[in-house]
C-alpha cells in the first residue's frame, strides 16, 4: 500500500520522441500570463538594480575590466530572459553563473598554480620579495638617537616633531632635521604635545593616514629617521638593498651579494645558499613530472591508489548493503513503529559529521576507548594497519548507511507491486524475486547515486584525517600511512614538511582528479546502457 | 513461525541497526550530561546526570548566535541551491541542447576537485569582492552563502534530473497545448509532482552546509558570527583543551534542526521518492 | 510584449538605481575605513581572542580607533599568510614564536623596532626567541614550557630521575591507586614537543648551533648515533618496556587522565593548570626529570608573541599597539589573569609571582630549556620525528626507525 504522490508509472519513451523546436516543448508566443510577466519584470528589474549598485564601486576604482565583465553578464542575462528563444538557457543560467564564478574559476586558478612554484617562500612577486628583504633588514643605526615622536601636520602636509633624549625638539620633514625653538613647543613625557604652527594628530588621525606615516622618513647623514607606531622614532638604515644593475641584493655591512635566480625564484649566493624571501615563478611542467618521477612520491603512489579504491568501493558497498537491508526489512506494511525506526536509523546522519568522526576516533582508543572497554577486547585498533582500515570503513558505514537507507526506501516503494506478484505467480522464491526482479530495477535508479558516493568517498579527506590521520605509519616510512588516501597524502606532501607547496599539490590533485573523472565517466557510460535496457 | 519469517526478522534487523546507529549517539549524550565533561570519565550509560555542560556552553560561548547563524546560512543556502538545481535539472531533463550530456557529466566531475586547494584562489577572489562590495566580502554570511551557491549544481542536479525523467512528457505537452508557457508548465504541473525530491535535496544540502567547516572557518572570524561547526571545533581544538562535555552538548543541539526537518519532511521523502523511476 | 516588458524593466532599473545611488555614494568613496581614524584588525586563536578582547577594545576607545579581535579557529598561521598575500589580512597576528621563520620567508611580517630600554624589560629568553636573523620580529607576551606536574596526594616527593618516577608510579599502580604510570602524551602519530626533554636527556639533539647561537640547519642531530641511543632509552619506557609511555595517551586525554586521578604524574604546560585547579587536585610543579646518568632534560621553550603584518592596512597603529602599548606592565599582568601563562615582561612576572607561584615554577622548569627553533627547516622535523617516536614507543627498532626518519627529514630540508 504505497501512497504515491506522483503520477502513475507510465513507460518512458526514449530516443523516439524529439521535440520539434531545438529548445524544448513548443512555446506558443505571447502566452505568458500576467503573473509570469509581473514576475519577469520584478526579477529583471532587480537584476538591473543590482548591476547598477555593483557598478558604482567599480567605476569609482576605475576597474574597467571588472566593469566590462559586469556589463557583459548583465547584458547576457537580459538577452536570455527577454528573448523568446534559448529556453534551456533560461533555466540553466543562474546556476551556471554561480558555478562558473565560485567553482570553475577557483579550480582554474588553482590548476594554473600547478605550473608555478607557488608555496611558502614563493608567494608574491619579485618586487614583493625585494621590498620584504629590504624591510626585514632595516636596523637602527649604530649609536643612532631614539626620539619621542609626535606626528603633526603643517598645512595638511605630514611632518614629524621629534624630541631627543636631552629634551630638545626638532622638526623632521623630507628635507631633514631642523631644531625647533624651545618657546614654540611644549614637551611633556619626552614628546611634543603642542607646537605653534602645527596641528598635532592623535592616534586615530594617525591611523587614518597610516600608510603615509609608515612610509615617511626624515633623511639624515647615516640613514633616515622612521617611526615606530605613533610615539617613537629612530634613525635607521636598510642593510640589504636591491641593485638593479646586477639584479642582485647587496648587503651593505658585509658586502655579500645574492644574485637573482629568475628560474627558481630566489636570490642565491655563490655558495648555494639563498635568501628566505623568494618569489613566484612559472616552472612549466616541473611539478607534474616531479609527481611522477620522484621515487619517494611515485613509489607509494600506487599502493595508496589501490587502498583508495578499496576504501571507496568498500564504503559504497557496505553502506549500500546495510542501507538496502534495512530498507527491505522496513518495507513491509505489517511492521509497526516504522516511522520511529526510520528516525532512529537516520540519527547518525543528523549528528554533525566531524564531531562524530572525532568521537569514533576516541572510541577506538586502545586503552581508554569505548569499543575495547565495552567488548572487553585488547585490540590496538589504530596501531595495526588492517585494524585501522577496518575501523575507518566501519566509521564510514555508520556515517553513510542512513543516506542509502533513505534512497533505497524510496526506490523500493516505487517498484510497482505487480512485478513482484507476477513473479510470485510464476513460482519464484523470495530470493529469486529479489535477485531477478527487485534488485535490477533498484540498480537502475540507484547507480548514479552509488557512483556519486564513490566519487565523494574517493576524496573524503575528513574521514581519514580526523580519525587516523593516515596512520599507522610503518617504522621506515613516515610519509605514507596504511590508511592514507591520495588526498590526505597530497595534503601532507603539500602542507606538511618544509612549508606549503601549493603548486606541487595542485599538480598531484590534478592527477587524482583525472583518475576519478575517468573512472566516473566510464561508469556513467555503462549506466546509460543499463538504463536503455530497462527503459 | 510465519510471523518470525514474515515480520519477526524485520524487527530483528531493524533493532540491530538501531543499536548500531545509536550507541555512539548515546555515548555523546552521556558525555554531554556528565558534569566532569572529559572523555575518560564517560561510560556508555550516563552515571552522573547534570545540565552543567549545557549551561557552560551557553555561558562561555555565544552558542545562540552560532545556532542562528548556522540555521540562517544553511536554510538560505539550501533553499537557493534547491531552486537553482531544480531549474537546471528541468532543462537537462526536458530539453535537448548541445552539450547536454557533457554538461551533466562535468557537473559531477567539477566537484571532485579537492576544496582545500581552492582556498588560495577563493581568498584572492573574495578579497577583490570585499574591496568593491564589502557587504558580500569576508566576514559576512552573504559572501559565504554566495560561495556555497557555487556548489549548488552538482550531484543534486543529477538526482533531480533522474526523478524528472520519470514524470512523463505528456503532462508538459498537454499543459502547453492548453496554452501555458514553458515556465507555467514548470511551476504549475511539474514542480508539485517532484516535491519529494525537492524535500530530499533540501535536507541533504541543509545537512551538508551545517557540517561545512573549511570555508566557514576562514570567512566568519568574529566570535559572534561563527557557525556551529566552526564554533564546536574551536571548543576542542588544540590538544590542550578538554571541553569534551560541552562539545558533545553542542553536537546534540546541532542535530536537533536536522531531525526536526527530517520528521517534517518524512512523508515527502519516503513516499514516492523515486516513483516511476523504476518501472516495467 | 517584449518591448513593453523591456521598457517596464528599464524603468524599474532606473528607479532602483536612483534609490541605490542615493545612499551608496558616500560608502563607496572610501574603502570601508571608519571616520574615527582607521581600524585595527587583530587575528588570534580562540582562547587568546577571548582573553585579548577587553584590552584591545580599551586601547581602541582610549585612542579613537576601532579595534577588532577576530578568532580564526583552525590553521591560523596558514590562513594569515594566505590572507596577507591576497590583501585581506589583519594588521596584527598573535602566535607562537616558531612561526617566525615561515612568516618571514613569506614576507608576511616586519621587524619591530624596540628601544634598548624596552628590550631589556623582557626576559632574555623571550627576546632571544623572537629574534631571527638578528632582527626582533615580534613582541613577546608569554613564555611557556612543559614541566612535571605531580599529584602531591599520591606522590609527595618530586622524583629526581625518570627511573625514580617510574618506580614510584609502579608502586602506586600496584597499590591500585592509579591505572597509568605517567601521563605524557604520545598519540598515534607521536608528539615531538612533549618527548623532547627525554630525548635531550638521552643525548640527542635536533639542530646544532652556529657560533652566534642561531640554529644551524645543516647540522641535523636526528640520525646521529646519539639520537638512536636516546631513543633506545625511550623505547625502554614504552609499551614493550616499562609501559610508562603509551600511544593511547594523547593530547585529548592526557590532562583529563591526570585530573581524573588515574595517573600521578603529568608532563604538560601552564595550559593544564586551569583544569587541574578545577578538579581540586593538590599539585606541585618541578622540572621534567631526565634519565639517570644522562644529560639534563631540556624542555622546549615557546614564546607567544604579537606580530605586525607587513601588508596590514594600518601599520602605524599596529606598531603603536604592539611596540608601545603591549610593553606596559599592568597590561601584561592582566593578560596573565585572563590566561595563565608566565608573562614575558620581567616586571609583570614579578607582579604575578606574588600571588601565583606557579608562574615562577614553570619558568624554573624551563631554565636551561631549548628555545623552539624558529627556522623554516623546523617544519620538516615535526611530522617524521613524531611518527618515529610513536613507532618506537610501540616497540619498533630505534636504529631503523631513526635512520628512515632522518632520511625523510634531510630530504625535505635539502630540497
Amino acid at each position: 500500500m504505497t501512497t504515491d504522490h506522483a503520477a502513475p508509472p507510465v513507460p518512458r519513451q526514449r530516443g523516439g520522441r524529439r521535440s520539434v523546436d531545438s529548445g524544448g516543448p513548443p512555446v506558443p508566443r505571447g502566452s505568458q500570463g500576467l503573473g509570469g510577466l509581473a514576475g519577469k519584470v520584478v526579477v529583471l528589474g532587480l537584476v538591473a538594480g543590482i548591476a547598477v549598485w555593483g557598478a558604482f564601486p567599480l567605476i569609482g576604482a576605475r576597474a574597467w575590466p571588472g566593469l566590462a565583465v559586469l556589463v557583459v553578464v548583465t547584458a547576457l542575462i537580459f538577452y536570455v530572459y527577454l528573448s523568446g528563444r534559448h529556453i534551456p538557457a533560461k533555466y540553466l543560467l543562474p546556476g551556471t553563473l554561480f558555478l562558473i564564478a565560485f567553482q570553475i574559476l577557483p579550480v582554474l586558478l588553482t590548476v594554473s598554480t600547478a605550473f608555478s612554484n607557488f608555496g611558502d617562500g614563493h608567494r608574491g612577486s619579485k618586487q614583493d620579495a625585494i621590498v620584504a628583504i629590504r624591510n626585514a633588514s632595516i636596523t637602527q643605526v649604530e649609536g643612532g638617537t631614539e626620539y619621542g615622536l609626535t606626528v603633526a601636520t603643517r598645512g595638511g602636509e605630514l611632518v614629524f616633531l621629534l624630541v631627543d633624549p636631552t629634551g630638545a625638539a626638532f622638526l623632521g620633514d623630507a628635507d631633514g632635521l631642523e631644531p625647533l625653538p624651545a618657546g614654540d613647543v611644549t614637551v611633556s613625557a619626552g614628546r611634543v604635545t603642542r607646537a605653534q604652527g602645527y596641528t598635532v594628530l592623535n592616534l586615530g588621525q594617525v591611523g587614518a593616514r597610516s600608510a603615509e606615516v609608515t612610509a615617511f622618513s626624515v633623511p639624515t647623514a647615516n640613514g633616515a629617521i622612521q617611526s615606530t607606531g605613533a610615539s617613537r622614532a629612530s634613525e635607521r638604515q636598510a642593510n640589504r638593498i636591491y641593485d638593479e644593475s646586477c639584479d642582485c641584493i647587496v648587503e651593505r655591512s658585509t658586502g655579500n651579494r645574492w644574485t637573482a635566480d629568475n628560474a627558481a625564484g630566489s636570490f642565491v649566493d655563490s655558495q648555494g645558499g639563498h635568501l628566505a624571501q623568494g618569489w613566484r615563478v612559472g616552472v612549466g611542467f616541473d611539478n607534474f613530472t616531479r609527481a611522477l618521477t620522484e621515487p619517494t612520491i611515485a613509489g607509494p603512489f600506487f599502493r595508496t591508489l589501490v587502498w583508495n579504491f578499496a576504501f571507496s568501493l568498500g564504503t559504497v558497498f557496505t553502506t549500500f548493503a546495510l542501507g538496502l537491508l534495512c530498507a527491505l526489512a522496513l518495507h513491509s506494511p505489517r511492521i509497526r513503529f516504522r516511522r520511529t525506526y526510520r528516525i532512529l536509523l537516520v540519527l547518525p546522519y543528523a549528528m554533525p559529521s566531524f564531531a562524530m568522526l572525532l568521537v569514533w576516533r576516541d572510541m577506538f582508543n586502545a586503552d581508554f576507548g569505548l569499543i575495547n572497554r565495552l567488548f572487553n577486547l585488547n585490540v590496538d585498533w589504530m596501531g595495526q594497519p588492517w585494524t585501522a582500515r577496518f575501523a575507518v570503513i566501519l566509521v564510514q558505514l555508520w556515517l553513510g548507511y542512513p543516506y542509502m537507507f533513505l534512497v533505497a526506501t524510496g526506490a523500493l516503494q516505487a517498484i510497482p507491486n505487480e512485478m513482484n506478484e507476477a513473479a510470485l505467480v510464476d513460482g519464484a522464491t523470495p530470493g529469486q524475486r529479489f535477485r531477478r526482479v527487485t534488485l535490477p530495477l533498484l540498480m537502475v535508479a540507484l547507480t548514479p547515486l552509488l557512483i556519486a558516493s564513490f566519487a565523494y568517498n574517493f576524496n573524503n579527506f575528513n574521514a581519514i584525517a580526523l580519525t587516523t590521520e593516515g596512520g599507522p605509519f610503518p617504522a621506515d616510512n613516515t610519509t605514507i600511512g596504511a590508511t592514507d588516501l591520495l588526498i590526505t597524502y597530497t595534503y601532507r606532501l603539500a602542507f606538511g614538511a618544509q612549508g606549503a607547496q601549493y603548486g606541487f599539490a595542485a599538480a598531484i590533485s590534478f592527477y587524482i582528479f583525472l583518475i576519478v573523472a575517468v573512472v566516473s565517466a566510464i561508469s556513467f557510460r555503462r549506466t546509460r546502457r543499463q538504463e536503455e535496457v530497462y527503459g | 513461525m510465519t510471523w518470525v519469517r514474515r515480520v519477526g526478522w524485520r524487527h530483528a534487523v531493524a533493532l540491530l541497526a538501531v543499536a548500531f546507529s545509536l550507541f555512539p549517539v548515546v555515548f555523546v549524550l552521556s558525555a554531554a550530561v556528565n558534569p566532569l565533561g572529559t572523555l575518560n570519565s564517560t561510560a556508555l550509560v550516563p552515571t552522573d546526570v547534570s545540565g552543567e555542560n549545557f549551561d557552560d556552553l551557553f555561558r562561555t560561548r555565544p552558542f545562540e548566535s552560532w545556532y542562528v547563524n548556522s540555521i540562517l546560512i544553511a536554510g538560505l543556502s539550501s533553499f537557493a541551491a534547491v531552486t537553482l538545481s531544480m531549474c537546471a535539472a528541468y532543462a537537462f531533463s526536458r530539453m535537448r541542447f548541445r552539450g547536454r550530456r557533457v554538461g551533466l557529466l562535468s557537473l559531477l566531475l567539477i566537484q571532485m576537485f579537492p576544496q582545500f586547494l581552492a582556498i588560495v584562489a577563493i581568498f584572492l577572489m573574495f578579497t577583490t569582492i570585499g574591496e568593491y562590495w564589502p557587504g558580500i566580502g569576508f566576514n559576512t554570511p552573504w559572501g559565504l552563502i554566495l560561495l556555497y551557491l557555487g556548489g549548488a549544481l552538482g550531484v543534486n542536479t543529477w538526482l533531480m534530473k533522474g526523478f524528472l525523467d520519470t514524470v512523463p512528457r505528456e503532462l508538459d505537452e498537454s499543459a502547453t497545448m492548453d496554452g501555458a508557457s514553458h515556465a507555467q508548465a514548470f511551476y504549475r504541473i511539474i514542480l508539485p509532482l517532484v516535491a519529494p525530491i525537492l524535500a530530499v535535496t533540501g535536507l541533504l544540502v541543509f545537512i551538508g552546509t551545517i557540517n561545512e567547516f573549511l570555508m566557514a572557518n576562514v570567512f566568519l572570524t568574529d566570535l559572534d558570527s561563527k557557525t556551529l561547526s566552526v564554533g564546536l571545533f574551536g571548543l576542542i581544538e588544540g590538544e590542550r583543551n578538554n571541553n569534551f562535555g560541552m562539545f558533545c552538548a553542542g553536537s546534540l543541539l546541532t542535530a536537533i534542526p536536522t531531525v526536526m526537518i527530517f520528521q517534517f519532511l518524512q512523508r515527502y521523502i519516503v513516499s514516492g521518492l523515486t516513483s516511476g523511476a523504476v518501472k516495467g | 510584449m517584449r518591448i513593453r516588458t523591456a521598457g517596464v524593466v528599464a524603468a524599474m532599473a532606473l528607479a532602483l538605481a536612483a534609490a541605490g545611488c542615493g545612499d551608496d555614494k558616500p560608502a563607496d568613496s572610501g574603502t570601508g575605513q571608519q571616520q574615527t581614524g582607521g581600524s585595527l584588525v587583530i587575528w588570534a586563536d580562540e582562547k587568546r581572542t577571548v582573553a585579548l578582547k577587553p584590552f584591545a577594545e580599551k586601547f581602541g576607545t582610549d585612542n579613537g580607533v576601532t579595534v577588532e579581535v577576530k578568532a580564526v579557529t583552525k590553521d591560523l598561521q596558514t590562513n594569515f599568510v594566505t590572507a596577507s598575500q591576497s590583501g585581506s589580512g589583519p594588521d596584527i597576528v598573535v602566535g607562537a614564536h616558531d612561526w617566525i621563520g615561515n612568516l618571514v620567508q613569506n614576507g608576511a611580517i616586519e621587524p619591530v623596532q624596540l628601544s634598548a630600554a624596552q628590550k631589556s624589560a623582557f626576559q632574555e629568553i623571550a627576546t632571544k626567541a623572537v629574534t631571527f636573523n638578528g632582527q626582533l620580529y615580534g613582541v613577546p607576551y608569554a613564555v611557556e614550557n612543559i614541566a612535571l606536574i605531580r599529584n602531591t596526594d599520591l606522590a609527595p616527593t618530586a622524583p629526581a630521575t625518570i627511573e625514580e618516577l617510574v618506580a614510584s608510579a609502579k608502586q602506586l599502580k600496584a597499590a591500585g591507586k592509579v591505572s597509568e604510570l605517567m601521563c605524557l602524551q604520545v598519540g598515534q602519530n607521536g608528539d615531538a614537543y612533549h618527548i623532547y626533554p627525554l630525548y635531550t636527556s638521552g643525548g640527542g639533539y635536533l639542530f646544532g648551533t652556529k657560533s652566534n647561537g642561531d640554529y644551524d640547519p645543516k647540522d641535523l642531530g636526528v640520525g646521529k648515533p646519539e639520537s638512536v641511543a636516546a631513543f633506545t632509552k625511550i623505547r625502554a619506557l614504552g609499551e614493550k618496556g616499562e609501559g610508562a609511555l603509551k600511544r593511547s595517551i594523547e593530547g585529548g586525554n592526557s590532562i583529563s587522565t591526570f585530573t581524573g586521578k588515574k595517573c600521578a604524574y603529568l608532563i604538560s604546560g601552564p595550559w593544564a593548570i586551569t583544569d587541574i585547579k578545577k578538579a581540586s587536585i593538590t599539585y606541585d610543579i618541578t622540572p621534567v626529570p631526565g634519565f639517570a646518568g644522562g644529560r639534563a632534560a631540556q624542555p622546549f621553550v615557546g614564546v607567544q608573541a604579537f606580530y605586525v603584518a607587513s601588508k596590514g592596512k594600518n601599520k602605524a597603529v599596529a606598531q603603536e599597539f604592539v611596540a608601545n602599548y603591549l610593553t606596559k606592565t599592568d597590561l601584561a599582568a592582566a593578560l596573565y589573569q585572563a590566561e595563565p601563562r608566565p608573562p614575558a615582561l620581567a616586571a609583570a612576572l614579578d607582579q604575578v609571582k606574588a600571588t601565583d607561584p606557579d608562574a615562577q615554577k614553570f619558568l624554573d622548569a624551563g631554565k636551561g630549556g631549548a628555545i623552539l627553533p624558529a627556522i623554516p627547516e623546523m617544519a620538516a622535523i615535526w611530522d617524521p620525528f613524531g611518527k618515529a617516536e610513536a613507532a618506537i614507543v610501540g616497540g619498533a627498532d630505534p636504529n631503523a626507525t631513526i635512520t628512515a626518519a632522518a632520511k625523510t627529514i634531510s630530504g625535505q630540508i635539502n630540497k
Side-chain angles (χ1 to χ4, degrees):
Chain A
M1 197 171 67
T2 48
T3 43
D4 251 343
H5 284 250
V10 164
R12 219 172 11 149
Q13 289 170 1
R14 299 196 113 261
R17 223 175 187 105
R18 285 243 178 272
S19 308
V20 174
D21 214 287
S22 67
V27 179
R29 305 262 148 148
S31 60
Q32 279 175 0
L34 204 55
L37 181 60
K40 199 185 244 186
V41 166
V42 167
V43 170
L44 285 178
L46 272 176
V47 169
I50 293 177
V52 171
W53 166 81
F56 273 110
L58 289 175
I59 297 178
R62 302 189 189 290
W64 305 126
L67 191 63
V69 168
L70 184 66
V71 167
V72 164
V73 169
T74 316
L76 182 68
I77 296 178
F78 268 83
Y79 172 60
V80 166
Y81 285 104
L82 283 181
S83 91
R85 300 185 300 135
H86 302 294
I87 313 266
K90 293 190 204 236
Y91 287 92
L92 289 174
L93 197 60
T96 315
L97 281 178
F98 278 108
L99 185 75
I100 293 181
F102 297 111
Q103 283 256 319
I104 298 189
L105 219 53
V107 166
L108 286 179
L109 278 172
T110 311
V111 172
S112 74
T113 65
F115 295 99
S116 73
N117 66 348
F118 187 68
D120 274 338
H122 301 278
R123 285 205 187 223
S125 63
K126 187 168 177 183
Q127 190 54 32
D128 281 345
I130 291 174
V131 169
I133 292 174
R134 182 186 176 280
N135 287 348
S137 72
I138 293 181
T139 44
Q140 280 180 219
V141 168
E142 280 288 334
T145 346
E146 299 245 354
Y147 296 94
L149 167 69
T150 309
V151 181
T153 50
R154 175 183 54 196
E157 260 195 43
L158 216 57
V159 292
F160 278 3
L161 300 175
L162 303 162
V163 176
D164 75 3
T166 64
F170 297 86
L171 166 70
D173 59 15
D175 300 323
L177 216 55
E178 232 178 68
L180 282 172
D184 283 354
V185 292
T186 333
V187 175
S188 117
R191 293 174 61 214
V192 172
T193 47
R194 269 185 42 225
Q196 207 167 41
Y198 301 96
T199 330
V200 164
L201 298 183
N202 65 20
L203 187 60
Q205 292 160 318
V206 169
R209 302 177 76 152
S210 175
E212 267 184 84
V213 172
T214 36
F216 195 84
S217 61
V218 179
T220 62
N222 294 332
I225 299 177
Q226 289 190 304
S227 62
T228 299
S231 57
R232 281 194 311 117
S234 53
E235 208 177 338
R236 302 179 198 153
Q237 202 188 48
N239 203 9
R240 290 182 182 162
I241 8 182
Y242 179 65
D243 186 352
E244 218 175 293
S245 60
C246 67
D247 196 17
C248 59
I249 299 274
V250 181
E251 189 169 52
R252 229 199 283 259
S253 55
T254 58
N256 286 339
R257 283 173 176 251
W258 288 267
T259 334
D261 179 351
N262 286 310
S266 48
F267 286 100
V268 292
D269 68 16
S270 47
Q271 288 109 4
H274 62 94
L275 288 179
Q277 295 94 335
W279 63 96
R280 175 180 173 170
V281 291
V283 294
F285 285 96
D286 277 0
N287 286 325
F288 290 98
T289 44
R290 187 174 144 210
L292 290 178
T293 54
E294 204 170 291
T296 47
I297 297 167
F301 192 84
F302 186 67
R303 208 182 71 204
T304 319
L305 184 68
V306 170
W307 159 245
N308 212 149
F309 269 103
F311 170 73
S312 10
L313 284 174
T315 305
V316 170
F317 182 69
T318 51
T319 50
F320 182 58
L322 187 57
L324 185 58
L325 180 63
C326 293
L328 283 172
L330 292 182
H331 186 53
S332 155
R334 265 186 280 181
I335 187 165
R336 291 188 292 165
F337 310 123
R338 228 184 335 181
R339 296 185 70 158
T340 325
Y341 276 132
R342 278 199 205 121
I343 292 199
L344 291 178
L345 285 180
V346 169
L347 214 48
Y349 206 56
M351 300 287 289
S353 59
F354 78 89
M356 296 319 290
L357 282 170
L358 294 171
V359 170
W360 270 101
R361 184 193 67 182
D362 288 328
M363 291 205 295
F364 275 115
N365 189 313
D367 288 324
F368 307 115
L370 196 64
I371 308 250
N372 275 353
R373 278 195 281 160
L374 211 58
F375 299 110
N376 247 331
L377 299 169
N378 209 352
V379 182
D380 185 10
W381 291 102
M382 299 303 183
Q384 308 297 323
W386 285 105
T387 50
R389 289 174 177 152
F390 172 76
V392 162
I393 295 195
L394 184 68
V395 175
Q396 286 306 109
L397 171 64
W398 187 86
L399 281 173
Y401 95 90
Y403 171 72
M404 290 294 180
F405 165 67
L406 279 182
V407 287
T409 307
L412 276 176
Q413 294 195 321
I415 297 179
N417 271 336
E418 302 85 59
M419 309 273 297
N420 257 313
E421 279 156 24
L424 193 58
V425 162
D426 285 347
T429 66
Q432 283 176 324
R433 282 209 310 273
F434 177 70
R435 263 186 308 121
R436 296 283 170 80
V437 177
T438 321
L439 195 57
L441 292 174
L442 276 182
M443 293 310 286
V444 171
L446 296 181
T447 310
L449 299 181
L450 294 181
I451 297 179
S453 172
F454 171 82
Y456 173 74
N457 279 301
F458 198 84
N459 271 344
N460 196 344
F461 183 76
N462 276 348
I464 302 293
L466 291 178
T467 47
T468 60
E469 290 175 57
F473 292 85
D476 59 349
N477 186 345
T478 55
T479 47
I480 268 248
T483 53
D484 254 330
L485 299 180
L486 285 176
I487 194 175
T488 54
Y489 180 48
T490 309
Y491 188 85
R492 190 176 310 119
L493 272 183
F495 305 122
Q498 197 61 340
Q501 300 174 57
Y502 284 101
F504 186 50
I508 298 191
S509 312
F510 183 72
Y511 284 129
I512 300 176
F513 172 71
L514 268 184
I515 296 173
V516 186
V518 165
V519 171
S520 304
I522 295 179
S523 324
F524 275 120
R525 287 276 154 76
R526 299 189 50 200
T527 317
R528 171 148 305 118
R529 266 183 271 141
Q530 211 179 14
E531 269 181 7
E532 276 158 16
V533 168
Y534 288 105
Chain B
M1 192 53 206
T2 32
W3 183 85
V4 172
R5 261 201 334 128
R6 291 275 175 80
V7 185
W9 71 274
R10 297 174 186 274
H11 278 285
V13 168
L15 283 172
L16 280 175
V18 166
F20 175 56
S21 274
L22 282 192
F23 91 88
V25 181
V26 171
F27 180 67
V28 170
L29 177 67
S30 97
V33 297
N34 183 338
L36 275 180
T38 62
L39 178 62
N40 302 31
S41 48
T42 308
L44 185 57
V45 181
T47 45
D48 239 330
V49 177
S50 106
E52 221 181 272
N53 287 317
F54 291 90
D55 280 336
D56 283 346
L57 185 63
F58 282 94
R59 196 171 38 88
T60 58
R61 297 285 194 281
F63 194 70
E64 308 91 7
S65 320
W66 294 350
Y67 216 80
V68 169
N69 291 332
S70 269
I71 300 220
L72 174 78
I73 294 178
L76 284 177
S77 301
S78 52
F79 179 72
V82 167
T83 315
L84 291 176
S85 210
M86 189 64 214
C87 292
Y90 184 67
F92 278 120
S93 162
R94 283 294 183 267
M95 308 171 194
R96 296 287 176 269
F97 49 89
R98 240 180 359 174
R100 187 183 79 105
R101 294 241 176 96
V102 173
L104 269 179
L105 194 56
S106 49
L107 278 187
L108 197 62
L109 298 184
I110 287 184
Q111 302 204 310
M112 293 179 193
F113 208 82
Q115 266 268 321
F116 63 78
L117 280 183
I119 283 201
V120 179
I122 290 178
F123 251 114
L124 274 171
M125 280 176 57
F126 272 90
T127 309
T128 322
I129 292 180
E131 260 175 42
Y132 295 122
W133 309 285
I136 55 170
F138 276 116
N139 222 20
T140 59
W142 318 114
L144 192 56
I145 292 179
L146 282 183
L147 180 61
Y148 287 153
L149 287 183
L153 254 47
V155 178
N156 293 323
T157 316
W158 261 98
L159 201 58
M160 288 186 181
K161 171 198 172 290
F163 285 60
L164 273 174
D165 280 345
T166 71
V167 178
R169 292 260 181 88
E170 287 78 17
L171 289 172
D172 287 53
E173 278 155 23
S174 59
T176 50
M177 236 38 108
D178 288 344
S181 73
H182 62 86
Q184 284 175 326
F186 178 57
Y187 285 127
R188 302 242 186 92
I189 315 286
I190 307 295
L191 226 41
L193 287 178
V194 291
I197 194 56
L198 291 181
V200 176
T201 316
L203 182 67
L204 294 178
V205 176
F206 186 82
I207 294 180
T209 315
I210 286 214
N211 277 332
E212 205 281 327
F213 176 84
L214 223 53
M215 294 298 148
N217 177 37
V218 166
F219 255 82
L220 303 168
T221 42
D222 275 338
L223 274 179
D224 282 340
S225 62
K226 286 186 188 289
T227 58
L228 280 170
S229 57
V230 177
L232 283 181
F233 194 88
L235 273 178
I236 53 154
E237 222 267 318
E239 340 89 86
R240 301 156 184 197
N241 234 323
N242 284 297
N243 293 330
F244 192 65
M246 282 208 287
F247 174 69
C248 289
S251 305
L252 282 175
L253 293 176
T254 309
I256 292 180
T258 314
V259 173
M260 277 173 38
I261 294 185
F262 174 70
Q263 172 65 332
F264 173 67
L265 294 176
Q266 245 208 81
R267 57 197 176 98
Y268 290 110
I269 289 178
V270 191
S271 61
L273 194 62
T274 51
S275 55
V278 181
K279 42 184 153 323
Chain C
M1 187 66 113
R2 269 207 304 293
I3 300 177
R4 232 199 294 163
T5 317
V8 176
V9 168
M12 274 205 72
L14 281 173
L16 273 168
C21 231
D23 28 34
D24 269 348
K25 275 238 171 76
D28 292 341
S29 58
T31 44
Q33 276 194 348
Q34 311 280 354
Q35 298 129 317
T36 48
S39 68
L40 189 67
V41 179
I42 305 178
W43 279 15
D45 68 19
E46 258 199 45
K47 243 195 158 174
R48 260 155 280 273
T49 306
V50 174
L52 200 51
K53 244 180 178 293
F55 306 109
E57 279 162 9
K58 182 164 183 304
F59 174 79
T61 44
D62 284 349
N63 290 291
V65 183
T66 327
V67 180
E68 296 172 351
V69 186
K70 311 232 180 193
V72 178
T73 308
K74 195 168 182 293
D75 297 331
L76 175 56
Q77 196 196 157
T78 329
N79 285 324
F80 167 65
V81 176
T82 311
S84 221
Q85 183 63 38
S86 63
S88 56
D91 300 295
I92 296 177
V93 70
V94 183
H97 80 274
D98 57 331
W99 296 5
I100 293 184
N102 188 38
L103 294 181
V104 169
Q105 75 171 343
N106 283 311
I109 58 174
E110 271 186 356
V112 178
Q113 309 286 355
L114 290 183
S115 70
Q118 285 176 315
K119 262 194 240 185
S120 58
F122 289 100
Q123 297 180 47
E124 204 186 306
I125 200 167
T127 38
K128 191 149 178 266
V130 291
T131 308
F132 181 76
N133 276 350
Q135 286 273 47
L136 193 81
Y137 272 97
V139 173
Y141 83 90
V143 180
E144 56 192 24
N145 52 269
I146 53 181
L148 177 67
I149 307 173
R150 73 175 194 286
N151 186 333
T152 42
D153 288 336
L154 294 172
T157 46
T161 63
I162 217 64
E163 286 83 357
E164 266 184 45
L165 190 156
V166 173
S168 140
K170 279 191 170 161
Q171 279 181 333
L172 287 171
K173 187 167 176 191
K177 293 209 184 133
V178 298
S179 58
E180 300 298 329
L181 295 181
M182 184 169 72
C183 285
L184 194 164
Q185 63 194 64
V186 178
Q188 279 303 128
N189 291 324
D191 189 318
Y193 184 79
H194 283 80
I195 202 71
Y196 192 70
L198 289 179
Y199 177 69
T200 47
S201 176
Y205 68 94
L206 284 184
F207 292 110
T209 43
K210 291 194 228 180
S211 48
N212 61 356
D214 283 348
Y215 283 108
D216 181 6
K218 295 208 180 20
D219 181 10
L220 184 66
V222 183
K224 298 234 167 64
E226 304 97 33
S227 62
V228 178
F231 268 108
T232 315
K233 289 190 176 170
I234 291 176
R235 182 178 186 274
L237 290 175
E239 287 169 26
K240 296 270 176 6
E242 307 277 11
L245 291 173
K246 286 182 168 179
R247 286 170 301 170
S248 53
I249 298 182
E250 45 181 31
N253 57 26
S254 69
I255 299 178
S256 53
T257 310
F258 180 78
T259 52
K261 301 208 176 106
K262 298 217 180 73
C263 67
Y265 298 100
L266 170 69
I267 296 188
S268 189
W271 48 87
I273 296 297
T274 329
D275 285 332
I276 296 179
K277 284 190 175 157
K278 211 162 87 167
S280 318
I281 296 190
T282 43
Y283 62 96
D284 190 26
I285 302 169
T286 49
V288 180
F291 289 107
R295 299 214 205 127
Q298 285 183 309
F300 272 134
V301 176
V303 169
Q304 298 286 332
F306 285 78
Y307 305 105
V308 175
S310 52
K311 299 194 175 78
K313 297 199 176 68
N314 198 343
K315 267 204 284 202
V317 181
Q319 282 171 351
E320 180 67 25
F321 182 83
V322 166
N324 303 326
Y325 183 67
L326 279 180
T327 45
K328 299 206 177 110
T329 312
D330 42 354
L331 177 64
L335 269 177
Y336 174 82
Q337 300 304 335
E339 216 224 328
R341 288 174 201 240
L345 206 55
L349 180 65
D350 290 332
Q351 213 179 331
V352 156
K353 256 194 309 196
T355 47
D356 194 348
D358 288 344
Q360 187 60 44
K361 286 191 197 165
F362 268 112
L363 283 175
D364 289 338
K367 277 202 174 66
I371 298 181
L372 200 49
I375 49 177
E377 287 80 1
M378 186 63 192
I381 294 264
W382 294 113
D383 201 48
F385 191 88
K387 288 178 179 154
E389 177 213 346
I392 291 176
V393 163
D397 170 42
N399 209 344
T401 315
I402 293 297
T403 317
K407 207 163 126 201
T408 313
I409 296 174
S410 52
Q412 283 294 338
I413 292 182
N414 295 329
K415 220 188 277 277

